[in-house]
Structure formats: structure tokens, C-alpha cells
Amino acid sequence: MIKRPDTSCDFPKSVCIYEVGARDGLQNETCLPSQSKINFINLLSQSGLSHIEAGAFVSAKRVPQMADSLNVMRAIKRQDNITYSALTPNIQGFEMALSARADEVAIFASASEGFSQHNINCSISESLKRFEPVMALAQLHGIPVRGYLSCVIDCPYDGPTPANQVLQITEQLIGMGCYEVSLGDTIGTGTPFKVANLLDTINSQIPSRKIAVHFHNTWGQALPNIYQALSMGIDTIDASVAGLGGCPYAPGASGNVATEDVVYLCHQLGIETGLNLDVLAAAGWMICQQLNISPRSNVSIAMKARQLQ
Amino acid sequence: MIKRPDTSCDFPKSVCIYEVGARDGLQNETCLPSQSKINFINLLSQSGLSHIEAGAFVSAKRVPQMADSLNVMRAIKRQDNITYSALTPNIQGFEMALSARADEVAIFASASEGFSQHNINCSISESLKRFEPVMALAQLHGIPVRGYLSCVIDCPYDGPTPANQVLQITEQLIGMGCYEVSLGDTIGTGTPFKVANLLDTINSQIPSRKIAVHFHNTWGQALPNIYQALSMGIDTIDASVAGLGGCPYAPGASGNVATEDVVYLCHQLGIETGLNLDVLAAAGWMICQQLNISPRSNVSIAMKARQLQ
């Protein structure tokens, strides 16, 4: 029998767009000069965003695109009402994040064992254990911690990820002190019924304000998935201006859903974002020019085409 | 108040994908040699499609891309179970369609006066009147007629199109003898609540088997709109392999939704299409190579990326 989407919740009246383009996005593009990133984040800061992922304190050898995060985060022009966050896999990273005046840090785990082993070379439970010192330090310094959970729908090694497994690890991340967990469809194979099934399970145990969704558009399904998630009361959505990031698991394909496309959807549904779409699109065109690529956002391209008419 | 999508109907168990790439698509791309189109339609015919729009008998001066439709439709290798259709604006066009052995013909109207005036230089009611001789001839020859209705959500000249106006013209087209009306979001500004509102109105008076939807992805919203339409029992979806067609109203932007992306969504929702996605994607890559463009289909690009891994 074909399942219906769960529309037992109202759509949220407003959503928080968590902008990940400057970290999750740029981490998977060619390296840029620090000043380009600073200009990009400064322009994003004019768009009305409340959360901007601004850097990562990870191995410069493995992720050269983020090697200058300390300089970038020190040089950006801060807005009082914006949370600038950084990815911190360990204590060294956390201490650099502190030094970079990150308002928030993030840790990450996989919802599937196969991806955990391949991506960070340890089991899920080992990976969570490694984050305990970071959590302790963050608590000491009063820094909020966000959790990223990958492969929540499918894993390239293990196949479909059981929703109960996602729930269990999400609960562990919250138990460790994460104020929110961002559920990532890392390979972008999710479709609305799978999302409904996952969120049914998650919503049964965890308040939706502690859950964000992070969809990839690799198979073109990010917006229907976001529409499904909105219909189930999810009100925090990760997105990347201009779809920055591509897909590390399918070179040439799309990755992160474009912020512009999500914002257009929300505004047209009457859901407030507080965002200025023109400024977001301008930031996308600016950084894409630096990267010598076109925005991976239909909305951004349609806006430009309309301007040129 | 934010509206919920209407999920009072079950999703259909199977859908008909009405492939418009070889006409609506290629009509808005650069001109190709006849043999390229013949090869394209022949490959599409291997994919399991039941309906292929194969040509148009319109002014060769205004639409040079379709000037060879007679030769193309005569030369294609027909499959018994496939309906090959052609657009026929007048009696001359209808007679050429007969000569080309079209199994079905199509007429078109606008749901908004502004678009009707700008596009075909007459009012909606005048345009319907002009099709009466075509309808009479089609009935005489036992040829089914499909109706296309454009600007069913928004019009570039008149703004939002009232759902009741769309209903009224749809009823007129059915009253004139169209077996089905394809509702087109011509400028692609539709989003799911607008689609729900329109289909609520349409479904209240017209059986859903007489309605098809035709979404453009110019603003990235085609798949959420299709998901909404499916949830309301719509089971015929127009789509264009590789997103052929672009957007005539926003050069450089996306137009027709890509068949591959629709099929991926349907299959993952457990909705049968009878289609072989590999063959469809191969047809898209073949014709895009001829056009010297990349497929405007995330699914097609992700499939290729996976093959290359």
C-alpha cells in the first residue's frame, strides 16, 4: 500500500535557514583566497540569516579548503544577531574555534556503521566517545553544540538506514549535550515517503525544535523532501547558497540544496524566513564567480534571467 | 493561516508519463537535423513510454525547429502500444498530422487573457472558436484530441490566474471534445499550496483522469508541485527528457521538468511508471550531445557520475 505523507502537524509559520555554504559548501569546492570567503560571509551577513556556518577546524591536509578558517573567522564583520559556527572534530579544533570566536560549534557522526568506518575510520560508538572531551569543554565555555548526523536515509555501503537506528544515535547526540541534531541525507537518495517514515519515528520521541534537516539535491529530490518535512513541523533547514558543495560521492552532480530555492519555496508557502532573497542570490553569484562555476540554483538563475530581460 | 496539502485522495498506484521532449522540448532548443530527432524518438520508444509528443504542424517561419515534423513522424519506427501525437493549431496542421499518421493531436489555449493576446494575438474565447473546425475534423477521423492550457497558476502579464477561470476554460476544452486537458504552469512560479488550491477547484468538477499536469522547473519547484498533484490523485504528468526546452520566457533558465527526475520520484514513492530509467537517460544524453548542452536533470547527471565511479 502506498503511504500518505503525515500532515498531522501544521506547517511552521516561520523557519530558520541554517546557511552552510561557507563551510559544508566551500569545503567541497576548489580552494579560494581567504578574502573571497570573508567577503562572502560578510555579504551573507546582510541577508537576514541568523545562523552561518563559517569554518572548520579540521586537518588542513585532508581539507585544505578550510585551512584558513581561523583567519577568516577573525576577519569577518560580525553582526550581533548572527550565530557564526565552526566544525570541531576534537579538542584542538575546539580550542581553535574558541580562538576564532565561534558562537557555536558542531560535531558529526554517521547513522550507518559502514559510512562511519569508511569516512572516519571508527565505529559510530567510538566516534561519539571521541567527542566527549569536546562536549565537556563546550559546556565549560557555554558554547552551544550542534550535531550533524549523516546517511540518515541511505548509506553507500550499508544500504537503507533503519529509522530506529537514526533515532537512537540522535538521542545519544542530544544526551551528550547537542541542542539540535541536523539529519543529513548524505547521498541524496531520499524521497518524501522515506522522509515521512524517518520523521514519524524521530518525532515520536524528540521535539521537532531539536531537529533540523539537511537534504542533498543529487537526485533532484531535496525540495519535495523539504516540503514533506515542513508539513511535519520541522522548522530548521540546512541549505547552501548557490548549492555550493557539489556531491563528494558523485563528482559533477549536485549536492547541498540551494538556499535560494528553499527560501523561494518557503516564501511562496507563506512561511517566513526573515531572509532577503536578492542579497542571498547576490552572495551566490559573487562566490560562484570566484569559483568559476554557475550557481546550482534554479531560482538564482531565473532571477538573473529576469533581470536581463 | 497556512494551508495543508489536500491528501484526501490516495496517491495513484501508477502514472502515465506524457513525454513532450521531442516537441515542446526541441521546439525551444536549437534546430537539429531530422535524423537526430528520428533517432531520439526511436530510442524514447524503447523506454516503455505510452505517449510521445513527436511533432508540431505550425508555422515553419515562427517555429523552424518543427518544420520537418512530417518527415520525422513518417520516418520514426512505430511501436504498436505507443501514441505518437502532434500539435495542430488549425485545419492545415491537422491535415498534415493525418498525413504524418499522428495517433493523437493537441490544441492549446491560455488560461489568462493577457497571455492569449500576447502569444496568439486573440482572446481566449476567440482562440477556442478557431479550434472548432479542428475538433470537428478530429471527430470525423476518430483522432483523440488533447488540450493544453497555459498559465494556470500565474501569467506574466495578468499576475495570478484565478482557479475558477482555469476550471471554466478546462470545462470548455472538455466540452469541445478534448479527452484530457494538460494544465501548464508556463512560467514555473507555482508552489504546492497554489497547486493544491487549483486542483481542489478542478477536482471538484472534473474527474482527475481527464487532467494532466505540466510543470516547469524554472524556479526549481516542479517536483514539490508534482508530489502535491500526486497526493491529490493526478495520474498523468507531462515531462521532457533531460529537461529539454529551457524557458522561452527566461533565457538560460530551466523549463520543462526532466522526465528522469519525475520517474525517479515516482519509482521511489512506489508508483509505477512502466519506464526504464536507463533508456530514458540514454536518450537524454544522446540528444543533448547533438544540442551541445548538458541534461537539465539531476537524476541523469547523478546516474552518469555513478557510472563513471
Side-chain angles (χ1 to χ4, degrees), chain B:
Chain B
M1 202 190 101
I2 294 173
K3 286 183 54 179
R4 294 175 191 175
D6 181 355
T7 53
S8 57
C9 294
D10 272 338
F11 284 84
K13 288 198 166 50
S14 67
V15 296
C16 167
I17 303 291
Y18 202 110
E19 173 58 44
V20 302
R23 197 282 300 174
D24 190 27
L26 290 183
Q27 173 171 325
N28 293 300
E29 302 284 354
T30 53
C31 281
L32 285 181
S34 301
Q35 193 58 48
S36 298
K37 300 182 203 175
I38 294 163
N39 295 344
F40 177 49
I41 296 171
N42 286 348
L43 187 48
L44 287 176
S45 298
Q46 303 296 320
S47 67
L49 284 163
S50 60
H51 290 78
I52 298 177
E53 203 185 29
F57 297 103
V58 293
S59 155
K61 200 170 160 193
R62 280 191 67 186
V63 189
Q65 295 93 332
M66 292 291 119
D68 60 350
S69 282
L70 185 63
N71 292 339
V72 169
M73 289 190 72
R74 279 181 173 167
I76 53 174
K77 196 173 165 194
R78 307 271 176 132
Q79 306 284 335
D80 286 344
N81 48 352
I82 300 180
T83 297
Y84 297 91
S85 70
L87 197 75
T88 55
N90 49 36
I91 289 187
Q92 293 85 338
F94 182 84
E95 281 167 352
M96 285 182 79
L98 269 190
S99 161
R101 295 192 288 120
D103 302 303
E104 176 173 311
V105 298
I107 63 172
F108 49 91
S110 167
S112 76
E113 287 293 350
F115 194 78
S116 189
Q117 289 291 354
H118 278 81
N119 198 41
I120 50 177
N121 219 17
C122 66
S123 71
I124 298 169
S125 64
E126 281 167 343
S127 76
L128 294 180
K129 193 144 191 69
R130 286 187 195 173
F131 285 119
E132 281 174 6
V134 175
M135 299 306 298
L137 261 184
Q139 194 172 18
L140 191 69
H141 289 275
I143 303 277
V145 182
R146 188 174 209 235
Y148 282 106
L149 193 54
S150 53
C151 296
V152 300
I153 303 274
D154 287 312
C155 166
Y157 310 105
D158 298 350
T161 308
N164 275 325
Q165 191 167 312
V166 180
L167 172 61
Q168 193 194 328
I169 304 164
T170 303
E171 284 178 326
Q172 285 180 271
L173 285 165
I174 290 172
M176 287 169 68
C178 291
Y179 79 93
E180 177 177 90
V181 175
S182 169
L183 302 177
D185 175 17
T186 308
I187 57 173
T189 51
T191 41
F193 291 168
K194 293 179 184 174
V195 171
N197 178 54
L198 172 64
L199 292 178
D200 266 341
T201 301
I202 298 289
N203 284 348
S204 69
Q205 302 295 327
I206 301 174
S208 64
R209 68 187 158 75
K210 296 198 173 200
I211 298 297
V213 288
H214 183 114
F215 289 112
H216 279 202
N217 205 33
T218 314
W219 296 84
Q221 309 298 318
L223 282 196
N225 290 339
I226 287 170
Y227 180 57
Q228 179 67 45
L230 289 169
S231 81
M232 298 174 77
I234 297 295
D235 64 0
T236 302
I237 301 168
D238 292 6
S240 174
V241 156
L244 289 176
C247 177
Y249 313 103
S254 293
N256 287 305
V257 67
T259 311
E260 300 92 318
D261 296 13
V262 178
V263 169
Y264 185 90
L265 172 64
C266 289
H267 287 183
Q268 294 293 320
L269 295 176
I271 298 172
E272 290 170 18
T273 66
L275 295 174
N276 182 323
L277 188 49
D278 290 319
V279 177
L280 285 172
W285 281 99
M286 184 186 83
I287 198 76
C288 284
Q289 196 170 28
Q290 302 284 309
L291 290 164
N292 201 23
I293 60 173
S294 274
R296 299 183 196 97
S297 158
N298 284 349
V299 165
S300 191
I301 290 168
M303 287 172 75
K304 180 70 85 181
R306 197 171 53 181
Q307 280 168 15
L308 296 175
Q309 276 182 329

